[in-house]
Amino acid sequence: ACAGNLSPNTDDLTTNAGFSREVRFERSELLFRDPPDCVIVLPNQSQVKFDIGGLLERGVARRLSEKVGRVIGQHERKKLERKLNIDFSDKVGRAQFATITRCRFFLKISVAELENRYLLVWSRRSLNIALEIIRASDARFLWGARHIAMRRQGGLPLSPVSVAVNSVYAGTHQADTDIIPSLIDDALRRMFVTLPDFRR
């Protein structure tokens, strides 16, 4: 069962989906004609202020392994890069990696925005993330999903009491180091509901 609404996305996946529980997604016919049996999680290339690349890649690999028979995540990818002496940042290197490992699909991660706002009595953190599975041989699109996960705390300073209470709530929210991992987990859980289970 999915928490929130799922709706096919006919727009570009970079379109802002708004702060909701909605997941925007698209599935091509190729996904079912040539279903992914092995997927390589590509390094997160997004330029955001917070270093969440490793955390995000590990989360993606974990969720993807519940849908696909074999997943080459961050740890195995780096290990094989060194062993095979392949430059994974290069397009040719990625193609060689896919051929040697017999893993025919890539998953691309894009973080459009990781926002952290704090206004003494109000705090908001949000993660705008997009995922895309493509075929390594020709870069053809199979599946993509986009979601914005958000957590906020505090409120309007309507009275001296509310100022004090909301300041505590907002400050606690800002200091909570579990917020970002929780946002990532929430976003990925909702997004991967839209990907069928292709395990055998």
Side-chain angles (χ1 to χ4, degrees):
C2 173
N5 300 317
L6 299 180
S7 61
N9 176 25
T10 56
D11 302 322
D12 189 311
L13 284 175
T14 60
T15 301
N16 192 330
F19 291 118
S20 70
R21 300 179 68 139
E22 181 184 20
V23 174
R24 307 186 68 150
F25 69 95
E26 185 177 352
R27 295 187 292 223
S28 74
E29 293 182 2
L30 184 62
L31 178 66
F32 301 98
R33 292 204 314 268
D34 188 16
D37 52 353
C38 177
V39 179
I40 302 165
V41 179
L42 296 178
N44 173 34
Q45 299 295 327
S46 304
Q47 299 297 319
V48 294
K49 292 184 293 184
F50 304 93
D51 183 17
I52 61 168
L55 188 64
L56 190 54
E57 287 180 44
R58 289 191 295 274
V60 166
R62 184 174 64 254
R63 291 289 177 181
L64 188 57
S65 66
E66 299 172 355
K67 301 290 185 173
V68 177
R70 183 186 176 204
V71 175
I72 297 180
Q74 181 189 52
H75 178 72
E76 184 180 359
R77 186 190 70 232
K78 289 183 176 180
K79 183 178 179 181
L80 288 171
E81 279 182 72
R82 292 191 296 269
K83 182 179 179 180
L84 300 172
N85 194 27
I86 288 177
D87 181 6
F88 204 81
S89 63
D90 178 71
K91 183 178 179 180
V92 175
R94 290 195 296 270
Q96 291 177 338
F97 188 92
T99 300
I100 294 172
T101 59
R102 297 182 180 181
C103 197
R104 302 184 302 118
F105 301 91
F106 292 137
L107 186 144
K108 298 166 62 178
I109 303 171
S110 174
V111 179
E113 184 179 24
L114 179 58
E115 184 183 57
N116 183 15
R117 292 192 178 184
Y118 178 52
L119 300 174
L120 187 61
V121 295
W122 179 78
S123 173
R124 182 178 76 190
R125 294 184 182 185
S126 64
L127 175 65
N128 186 340
I129 181 175
L131 304 176
E132 186 177 357
I133 293 179
I134 61 173
R135 194 161 59 184
S137 61
D138 54 10
R140 288 190 61 185
F141 172 88
L142 279 81
W143 168 86
R146 174 68 169 266
H147 182 56
I148 300 177
M150 180 180 65
R151 296 285 177 85
R152 58 187 173 188
Q153 192 61 267
L156 295 175
L158 301 177
S159 69
V161 173
S162 68
V163 169
V165 172
N166 287 325
S167 294
V168 171
Y169 285 154
T172 301
H173 184 261
Q174 274 292 306
D176 191 346
T177 57
D178 291 331
I179 294 292
I180 297 301
S182 180
L183 277 175
I184 291 173
D185 187 64
D186 285 351
L188 296 181
R189 173 173 49 81
R190 292 170 183 158
M191 295 168 79
F192 275 106
V193 169
T194 69
L195 181 65
D197 189 344
F198 292 107
R199 294 173 297 178
R200 294 177 181 177

